Amino acid sequence: MRHLLSTGDLSRDEATLILDTAAELAQVGDRSVKKLPTLRGRTVVNLFYEDSTRTRTSFELAAKRLSADVINFSAKGSSVSKGESLKDTALTLQAMGADGVVIRHSASGAAHRLANWVDGSVLNAGDGTHEHPTQALLDAFTMRSRLGRLDGLRVAVVGDILHSRVARSNVLLLTTLGAHVTLVAPPTLLPVSVHTWTCEVSYDLDAVLPKSDVVMMLRVQAERMHESFFPTTREYSRNYGLDGERLSRMPEDAIVMHPGPMVRGMEISAEVADSPRCTVTEQVANGVSLRMAVLYLLLSGS
Amino acid sequence: MPEGTRAVLDGNEINRALTRIAHEVLERTKGGQEVTLLGIPSRGVPLAQRLARLIERVEDRTVPAGSLDITMYRDDLRSAPVRALGRTEIPTGGLDDRVVVLVDDVLFSGRTVRAALDALGDLGRPRAVQLAVLVDRGHRELPIRADYVGKNLPTSLRESVTVRLDETDGHDAVLLGPARPRPSTSGGND
């Protein structure tokens, strides 16, 4: 592994190695000294062209816990706002000797392009509506630690699949790890090519819920919507929102996940969001361990 | 057994060596009340468990035993392909004010022990740290020595020492053979 661009590039063994490594590194968060010397003297650049709190802080914390030097580069307040191209920014970072570049960009494929321009490792932290590999990995990690296995697990991914990079990365990764994924969304919020994905598709949330071990709710990404995809938010919420009543019809040990940020009252009710079966905060905590694992595996060897 | 390899210790001899080390630990620590055993993966871990059982048999007291993975503290991470991590399990009660006895199979360059000392510093503040090894093969590259040694085995750098244990390999033996390329996985003979 040199880069982490897509979960589709990971073999089952590689994905399992990442999850196992993350499980070991999770202990570091409970120690008195929450730091390992492993990446001392290495430089990690966080290159964020899109707003993000969770992912950027998570990567920053992960890199710092491994003693790497971290440089945060956001589009606002850098030469990017003066019109510099991605390639020139990449060459600048290259010249500064970045060992790893974490990139978030609104254009799908930006991380792939970057990987051709720099010598260091490139970690895709979300490119447009394409992929978000570390999110999918931390989701899989959370499922495995909550439910004890991934093989044969039935996972429903519900909501705005069309604009979701989390959905695509999850389908690719979970299929590799032996889980069965069902996408649930109104037809307007599914990508045209969804029949080529390795998963099932349903328009009926109530039919899928009782047969799911994991229900992953996605946010409706209004900022990427330039036309109307459903009549009203109320109708969307009634058909595809998860409330306490729907939660009670899920299997007893099934869990509810959400990559964040949640919009309470839209795709998830406050009652469900605050229930112990909802793993949102756990996902955030696991995100740090998982990103430490990825940084370790990509940057530490020769 | 590959050609040119001979057994230096068999199962019974390993047992006797460990039993002696268990007594020495009790003697040196005046009864072992404060002792915590930490094995270094992979083969130090079952050795630490065995020592804990032997001490229990002699003194009728349970001794906390765990494992300490040193991969993230190695000084040669950059010169080899990436390594998988071993398990770290610190017994409940922690390491503060304990007498930690590190347990490994072979003491060679001393670099593993150096890494273990660094790792310990991040986990707590033991009252003292001691080192127990099944085999000391010499060729130290750092100022480190063992407190308890199963067998001192003078070797040449052209030889390799392999420890096999029931728990990890199906049988007990210490083998001395011709050098092989340094393995890329952690543990083993350093």
Side-chain angles (χ1 to χ4, degrees):
Chain A
M1 269 194 292
R2 204 177 129 220
H3 306 297
L4 180 64
L5 304 176
S6 160
T7 49
D9 300 338
L10 296 173
S11 68
R12 193 176 180 135
D13 285 349
E14 285 169 331
T16 309
L17 175 64
I18 295 175
L19 300 186
D20 290 346
T21 307
E24 275 308 312
L25 294 175
Q27 295 184 13
V28 177
D30 306 328
R31 312 187 334 184
S32 54
V33 179
K34 296 182 181 47
K35 216 168 168 76
L36 294 165
T38 316
L39 295 184
R40 214 157 46 105
R42 301 256 166 153
T43 307
V44 175
V45 175
N46 274 334
L47 188 56
F48 276 67
Y49 285 86
E50 266 190 343
D51 292 336
S52 156
T53 335
R54 194 176 320 252
T55 308
R56 191 188 55 74
T57 347
S58 180
F59 265 112
E60 184 173 349
L61 189 56
K64 284 182 170 167
R65 284 202 175 156
L66 292 172
S67 303
D69 295 313
V70 183
I71 298 168
N72 287 315
F73 223 80
S74 66
K76 287 182 200 115
S78 72
S79 47
V80 176
S81 58
K82 298 174 186 161
E84 191 177 59
S85 71
L86 175 60
K87 180 165 187 177
D88 289 320
T89 308
L91 295 176
T92 307
L93 300 177
Q94 168 82 357
M96 289 176 180
D99 298 294
V101 180
V102 179
I103 180 172
R104 155 77 56 102
H105 202 287
S106 58
S108 301
H112 280 89
R113 296 290 286 159
L114 189 67
N116 295 325
W117 294 325
V118 298
D119 293 335
S121 296
V122 174
L123 289 86
N124 185 358
D127 57 335
T129 58
H130 179 233
E131 283 231 33
H132 192 353
T134 52
Q135 179 68 44
L137 284 160
L138 76 89
D139 289 340
F141 181 80
T142 307
M143 291 177 211
R144 197 178 75 164
S145 51
R146 266 288 184 119
L147 302 167
R149 70 198 162 99
L150 287 166
D151 203 37
L153 221 57
R154 299 162 304 171
V155 181
V157 182
V158 187
D160 185 358
I161 312 291
L162 180 64
H163 300 101
S164 174
R165 45 195 174 212
V166 178
R168 186 191 310 266
S169 289
N170 259 303
V171 169
L172 291 167
L173 178 68
L174 290 171
T175 308
T176 305
L177 291 169
H180 305 293
V181 184
T182 307
L183 302 176
V184 186
T188 49
L189 286 179
L190 285 165
V192 183
S193 61
V194 75
H195 62 275
T196 61
W197 293 24
T198 52
C199 61
E200 285 171 47
V201 175
S202 168
Y203 306 135
D204 184 359
L205 179 58
D206 290 308
V208 176
L209 280 181
K211 303 180 287 186
S212 302
D213 303 304
V214 177
V215 177
M216 189 185 296
M217 304 305 297
L218 300 178
R219 184 176 62 91
V220 174
Q221 302 194 30
E223 74 276 19
R224 291 186 211 277
M225 290 184 180
H226 306 298
E227 45 193 300
S228 39
F229 290 88
F230 43 83
T232 64
T233 53
R234 212 168 133 216
E235 183 180 322
Y236 176 86
S237 178
R238 197 178 306 150
N239 288 329
Y240 295 99
L242 192 63
D243 55 14
E245 198 273 317
R246 284 198 163 114
L247 181 69
S248 67
R249 278 186 276 128
M250 287 167 48
E252 216 163 89
D253 52 352
I255 56 169
V256 178
M257 305 181 71
H258 196 301
M262 291 190 283
V263 183
R264 286 169 186 241
M266 178 74 171
E267 73 272 7
I268 191 164
S269 73
E271 183 189 354
V272 177
D274 295 329
S275 108
R277 290 166 71 182
C278 180
T279 61
V280 177
T281 47
E282 220 170 301
Q283 285 168 269
V284 176
N286 290 340
V288 177
S289 318
L290 194 283
R291 290 182 176 109
M292 285 173 75
V294 171
L295 286 168
Y296 166 68
L297 293 171
L298 288 181
L299 299 183
S300 85
S302 56
Chain B
M1 209 184 289
E3 204 172 320
T5 304
R6 65 190 173 86
V8 199
L9 292 179
D10 63 18
N12 286 331
E13 287 166 316
I14 290 178
N15 263 338
R16 269 177 235 130
L18 288 175
T19 310
R20 176 173 49 75
I21 292 176
H23 281 101
E24 284 175 1
V25 169
L26 286 169
E27 215 172 73
R28 288 271 299 273
T29 59
K30 305 198 165 44
Q33 272 109 332
E34 298 172 321
V35 168
T36 297
L37 298 163
L38 284 183
I40 298 173
S42 50
R43 288 184 183 75
V45 182
L47 287 175
Q49 303 290 351
R50 288 192 198 185
L51 276 177
R53 280 198 302 272
L54 290 164
I55 290 176
E56 233 166 276
R57 208 175 298 164
V58 177
E59 207 75 346
D60 206 22
R61 174 189 313 117
T62 54
V63 182
S67 64
L68 177 68
D69 180 54
I70 54 101
T71 309
M72 301 299 267
Y73 293 84
R74 296 182 74 101
D75 59 7
D76 58 354
L77 281 171
R78 286 194 189 194
S79 54
V82 67
R83 297 157 191 269
L85 302 188
R87 281 206 70 76
T88 295
E89 277 184 56
I90 305 302
T92 45
L95 304 177
D96 289 347
D97 299 319
R98 305 289 299 177
V99 175
V100 171
V101 180
L102 294 169
V103 185
D104 203 0
D105 54 353
V106 180
L107 180 58
F108 185 18
S109 67
R111 288 177 191 269
T112 302
V113 178
R114 198 275 315 158
L117 291 171
D118 284 357
L120 273 182
D122 287 352
L123 288 166
R125 190 176 181 283
R127 190 169 69 70
V129 183
Q130 301 178 343
L131 174 63
V133 296
L134 184 58
V135 176
D136 181 353
R137 66 165 293 188
H139 304 288
R140 216 76 75 237
E141 293 165 6
L142 294 170
I144 278 168
R145 59 160 183 76
D147 300 86
Y148 314 101
V149 180
K151 185 176 176 63
N152 277 303
L153 191 63
T155 59
S156 117
L157 283 171
R158 288 190 302 277
E159 291 169 311
S160 72
V161 178
T162 312
V163 172
R164 299 218 172 122
L165 296 175
D166 208 19
E167 296 90 329
T168 48
D169 315 280
H171 68 282
D172 279 1
V174 176
L175 307 174
L176 184 63
R180 51 174 190 258
R182 300 277 314 255
S184 59
T185 51
S186 67
N189 58 342
D190 57 352

